Amino acid sequence: MIKIDYSNVSDSIIGEEYGLNLKNEFDKWAPKIEDIIKTLNFNKDKQGAWLQWMNLGYNEETVWYVKEYAAMVDGRFDNVLVLGIGGSALGARAFCHALLKPYWNMLSKEERNNYPRIFFLDNIDPDEIKGLLEVLDLKKTLVNVISKSGLTTETMAQFMIIKDKLQAELGDDYRKNVVATTDKQTGILRQIANEEGYKTFVVPDDVSGRFTVFSPVGLLPMALVGIDIDEVINGIKVMDLALKNTDINRNIAAQNALVHYLMDTEKNHYNAVMMPYSNRLSFVADWFIQLWAESLGKEKDRDGNLINNRPTPIKAVGVTDQHSQIQLYNEGGRDKLINFIRVDEFDSVIEIPRIFEFTGVNYLGGKTLNELMNAEADATTVTLRDFKRPNLTIHLPKVNAYYMAELFYMLEMQTAIAGELYNIDAFNQPSAEQSKNYTYALMGAQGWEESRHELEEKLNIKSETAYL
Amino acid sequence: MIKIDYSNVSDSIIGEEYGLNLKNEFDKWAPKIEDIIKTLNFNKDKQGAWLQWMNLGYNEETVWYVKEYAAMVDGRFDNVLVLGIGGSALGARAFCHALLKPYWNMLSKEERNNYPRIFFLDNIDPDEIKGLLEVLDLKKTLVNVISKSGLTTETMAQFMIIKDKLQAELGDDYRKNVVATTDKQTGILRQIANEEGYKTFVVPDDVSGRFTVFSPVGLLPMALVGIDIDEVINGIKVMDLALKNTDINRNIAAQNALVHYLMDTEKNHYNAVMMPYSNRLSFVADWFIQLWAESLGKEKDRDGNLINNRPTPIKAVGVTDQHSQIQLYNEGGRDKLINFIRVDEFDSVIEIPRIFEFTGVNYLGGKTLNELMNAEADATTVTLRDFKRPNLTIHLPKVNAYYMAELFYMLEMQTAIAGELYNIDAFNQPSAEQSKNYTYALMGAQGWEESRHELEEKLNIKSETAYL
């Protein structure tokens, strides 16, 4: 199992002013936590509770269909192109980046064991898309378009462009190169898929986009490039079982949610840095940023009180960002709780040869990069401790599908529990929806004419100091 | 020239509580700003003032040597491998990502106009490095090792590994595949380069790592992949001239420094989000993060007062992160000033074909991705304005070498001026140095034995709640 070292958030290490007495806090909060975990598990099948993500480890039929389709298309495509944005891209990308060989898309087909290259198109930058279309042979590309409603402007615009080109190259056969992940029955992409005759997978109801990584949204791209999704499912199940424990002393998601909550509400350390000491885990931080930011960044709590809930997730990568952000974390504002992720055993061990005898580099000879990585992580931790900056370390025994699933499911549960501690709805995103509506209006979608006029007026208002 | 729209930081737009009366503030701060700009320009050649970055646009000889070397090796290598970390990687990478064709390293040699692929190795993750070595044919790789002192643990460890392999493959000829960017006379990498006979370029004195992008640290990698560094130099010069203007009403670096400073000190909006609406500009945010964080994140001001200076830079990319972070920026803590970067003219225009007649997507047909990108940026801005969240927009006429240089030089000057407003030393990084020393100790470097013992004791102290 993954485990968490809380030493450096403890008052015995960083002092009472900034540290927590975890034993006392856990005792004090045990009943509340027990209640939260019971309620989450009690409500998980309730319609409209948005807790269906808790069931995604048990959907054997879906996993079977995903594997069946992946086996069917095995060897037929050189590329997988995922069209999706936010939760429709971040989870699978993080898994792929962690679990595929580094520089995957540059490897030969043999080096990829015949699995396709994979591209996630999560922006609409015309220069980027033009470049991508020059690199991809669409005939040999499987396009996985992902949108629950089919209203996702970016994804649908991408798909309209790609579908047009695919069809121009392949004629009616183009549909074999498309697989849609969308709503079960309603929604525009479902209608399009039915009319055009695409293979489809279902985005389940009552799962917020940022919690869909273990639905076909995430599992299908993973399976298409050869990630062992049975191992993913195993990881979820084991972690889910552990997190059903209502005793905070035995539940790391509850512990970590409480640590973050108390660091915010009692110690003012409300920003959560996610800093994996591993290049392969770097996109874990991107996925976590959406999860934490959209779930917890709410104007009002459930009772309508204005809270402007402030936890801000921030990405860093070790050791790289020791040369970028650590200076600020050590000495800057006392507003951050730093989450390290450390890998206990890398797949490779690389020795630094004894080739230079100059004092200042000679000590490196004969050591390994693995030792150096560990020493740097230790050095950073101790420095933060010297400056009394709270930090904790999530330990991953290895980077594999099983532990990645444990980690992601744990972070999802931690987020849900944090939402309960803050008494907010962790599963909506009202103001992100508002931006989307403004986009519809500005782009001339039907029914938004009035709003458009109003918006254009607003956009014309510039202060006299607009451009100086 | 690039320009900045400050409308949405103005009190006339977002109200007095969160907005600034820029006209009044500029008047009030004009003498102080004038003094800062005069002082910076007066001191720029002074030894130990760390202002030599202000002269990097005028070093014609260096530019000539860089171009000469790039021309000499032109066509000889398939790959450039940059070994560097922090400021030795982030600037050149941001330029390369912005200015090379997307997916550069996947293109054929012809599509790259015979220029090499380029890799920045800025971590020591053994799995990553093993993967890279499988992708690179070292015989056809030019290794640019960058470290001023030669004490940079990560870079030197990488170099020892790569040098050993290069020499095993190429024998004595290996040195033709190495170019070192390092100190002019002293330092270990200079000694190694002299002994081994490498071609070298100079990291100038009195330039902090994060301000070296326009020295050979940045210019050489750029030139090696065909970026027009004359255009870079032109951009710096034009911007430098503009920023010599001591009138705040005519100096965007001073304006933006002051806006950030006042948003922190008077309005509590101290976190700076850098959110380019362009995939090509996404690494600009990574470069800015080091610049802003290491320069401003200081425990004490110049007079020794404890300030724990708090500005925290945060990365986001538009439109992508509308689906990740915007919910938080709209509704969460009132602690952020959002810096958008918008590109007025993309290189490509891509039309969305009219192929689906379903209400909800049909409005997209016939529009362009460019229009959609603009509409989304506008929608996001208006939503933030509705929530009274301060934001400003830096306009780049196009993404090219000239405007990139303008942008980077402007941000450097803005950072230097902000340092003066905070009365801090913007050019050191004391606690990052402390971590480095701890690493030396833990790795068994000579002279650190005592420190090592002490550190190991510290690391053994765990709270009783370490792992629960």
Side-chain angles (χ1 to χ4, degrees), chain B residues 46-104:
Chain B
K46 208 170 106 181
Q47 224 191 337
W50 294 90
L51 293 172
Q52 280 298 326
W53 57 271
M54 292 175 66
N55 292 321
L56 294 175
Y58 305 95
N59 205 335
E60 284 173 32
E61 204 184 330
T62 297
V63 173
W64 192 90
Y65 279 121
V66 167
K67 290 197 298 188
E68 186 207 32
Y69 179 73
M72 191 189 85
V73 298
D74 186 29
R76 270 180 44 198
F77 296 102
D78 287 349
N79 312 298
V80 170
L81 173 60
V82 177
L83 306 181
I85 195 164
S88 297
L90 292 164
R93 177 153 55 192
F95 267 76
C96 288
H97 192 78
L99 300 176
L100 300 179
K101 286 185 200 167
Y103 303 92
W104 180 258

Side-chain angles (χ1 to χ4, degrees), chain A residues 26-181:
Chain A
F26 286 6
D27 284 349
K28 183 176 147 195
W29 287 85
K32 173 76 180 170
I33 291 291
E34 186 182 343
D35 183 51
I36 288 173
I37 295 170
K38 277 187 180 158
T39 308
L40 285 171
N41 280 286
F42 184 79
N43 287 336
K44 74 184 169 62
D45 298 312
K46 211 170 102 182
Q47 224 191 336
W50 293 91
L51 293 172
Q52 280 299 326
W53 57 270
M54 292 174 67
N55 292 320
L56 293 176
Y58 305 96
N59 205 335
E60 285 173 32
E61 205 184 329
T62 298
V63 173
W64 192 89
Y65 279 120
V66 167
K67 289 198 299 188
E68 186 207 30
Y69 179 74
M72 191 190 86
V73 298
D74 186 29
R76 271 181 43 200
F77 296 103
D78 287 350
N79 311 299
V80 170
L81 172 60
V82 177
L83 306 181
I85 195 164
S88 299
L90 291 164
R93 177 151 57 191
F95 267 76
C96 289
H97 193 78
L99 300 176
L100 300 179
K101 286 184 199 166
Y103 303 93
W104 179 258
N105 283 354
M106 296 186 62
L107 300 177
S108 68
K109 203 158 180 176
E110 294 70 49
E111 291 166 317
R112 287 185 266 112
N113 297 324
N114 284 318
Y115 287 110
R117 302 184 293 180
I118 188 162
F119 299 83
F120 293 89
L121 192 58
D122 65 352
N123 207 344
I124 50 169
D125 182 326
D127 295 343
E128 167 90 4
I129 291 180
K130 178 159 182 286
L132 181 62
L133 289 171
E134 284 172 19
V135 165
L136 286 185
D137 180 355
L138 283 180
K139 287 202 196 88
K140 297 178 182 167
T141 300
L142 178 62
V143 178
N144 182 200
V145 52
I146 307 176
S147 169
K148 180 155 168 54
S149 61
L151 290 171
T152 314
T153 317
E154 301 87 352
T155 304
M156 295 311 289
Q158 292 167 351
F159 183 60
M160 288 161 84
I161 291 162
I162 304 270
K163 186 252 183 191
D164 197 46
K165 290 194 189 298
L166 257 183
Q167 201 162 11
E169 289 203 28
L170 286 167
D172 275 359
D173 254 5
Y174 94 92
R175 62 201 72 216
K176 291 182 186 156
N177 289 43
V178 177
V179 52
T181 307

Side-chain angles (χ1 to χ4, degrees), chain A residues 82-292:
Chain A
V82 177
L83 306 181
I85 195 164
S88 299
L90 291 164
R93 177 151 57 191
F95 267 76
C96 289
H97 193 78
L99 300 176
L100 300 179
K101 286 184 199 166
Y103 303 93
W104 179 258
N105 283 354
M106 296 186 62
L107 300 177
S108 68
K109 203 158 180 176
E110 294 70 49
E111 291 166 317
R112 287 185 266 112
N113 297 324
N114 284 318
Y115 287 110
R117 302 184 293 180
I118 188 162
F119 299 83
F120 293 89
L121 192 58
D122 65 352
N123 207 344
I124 50 169
D125 182 326
D127 295 343
E128 167 90 4
I129 291 180
K130 178 159 182 286
L132 181 62
L133 289 171
E134 284 172 19
V135 165
L136 286 185
D137 180 355
L138 283 180
K139 287 202 196 88
K140 297 178 182 167
T141 300
L142 178 62
V143 178
N144 182 200
V145 52
I146 307 176
S147 169
K148 180 155 168 54
S149 61
L151 290 171
T152 314
T153 317
E154 301 87 352
T155 304
M156 295 311 289
Q158 292 167 351
F159 183 60
M160 288 161 84
I161 291 162
I162 304 270
K163 186 252 183 191
D164 197 46
K165 290 194 189 298
L166 257 183
Q167 201 162 11
E169 289 203 28
L170 286 167
D172 275 359
D173 254 5
Y174 94 92
R175 62 201 72 216
K176 291 182 186 156
N177 289 43
V178 177
V179 52
T181 307
T182 188
D183 188 78
K184 192 168 186 177
Q185 286 172 315
T186 59
I188 294 167
L189 184 52
R190 171 59 59 184
Q191 289 179 58
I192 292 171
N194 287 346
E195 279 202 7
E196 300 282 326
Y198 303 150
K199 171 72 184 173
T200 61
F201 286 89
V202 172
V203 185
D205 285 334
D206 275 1
V207 182
S208 212
R210 55 192 174 274
F211 286 82
T212 55
V213 57
F214 298 129
S215 80
V217 170
L219 293 179
L220 180 61
M222 292 183 212
L224 290 171
V225 292
I227 291 173
D228 185 347
I229 64 173
D230 287 327
E231 279 300 291
V232 173
I233 296 296
N234 289 341
I236 308 170
K237 280 183 180 165
V238 168
M239 185 52 81
D240 183 53
L241 202 65
L243 301 184
K244 283 195 158 53
N245 199 321
T246 57
D247 176 4
I248 186 169
N249 292 299
R250 295 279 168 274
N251 186 315
I252 57 172
Q255 291 166 6
N256 213 19
L258 184 65
V259 165
H260 279 78
Y261 174 74
L262 295 175
M263 273 292 165
D264 172 5
T265 54
E266 301 197 353
K267 305 289 179 184
N268 232 17
H269 287 66
Y270 54 91
N271 296 323
V273 174
M274 180 58 80
M275 185 168 182
Y277 267 77
S278 157
N279 259 38
R280 296 168 66 187
L281 298 181
S282 56
F283 283 99
V284 174
D286 297 78
W287 173 81
F288 174 75
I289 280 173
Q290 186 202 14
L291 183 72
W292 202 244

Side-chain angles (χ1 to χ4, degrees), chain B residues 17-50:
Chain B
E17 192 173 355
Y18 307 113
L20 299 167
N21 185 322
L22 285 190
K23 223 167 158 353
N24 289 357
E25 297 291 357
F26 286 6
D27 283 350
K28 182 175 149 196
W29 287 85
K32 173 76 179 169
I33 291 291
E34 186 182 343
D35 182 52
I36 288 173
I37 295 170
K38 277 188 180 158
T39 308
L40 285 171
N41 280 287
F42 184 79
N43 287 337
K44 76 184 167 63
D45 297 312
K46 208 170 106 181
Q47 224 191 337
W50 294 90

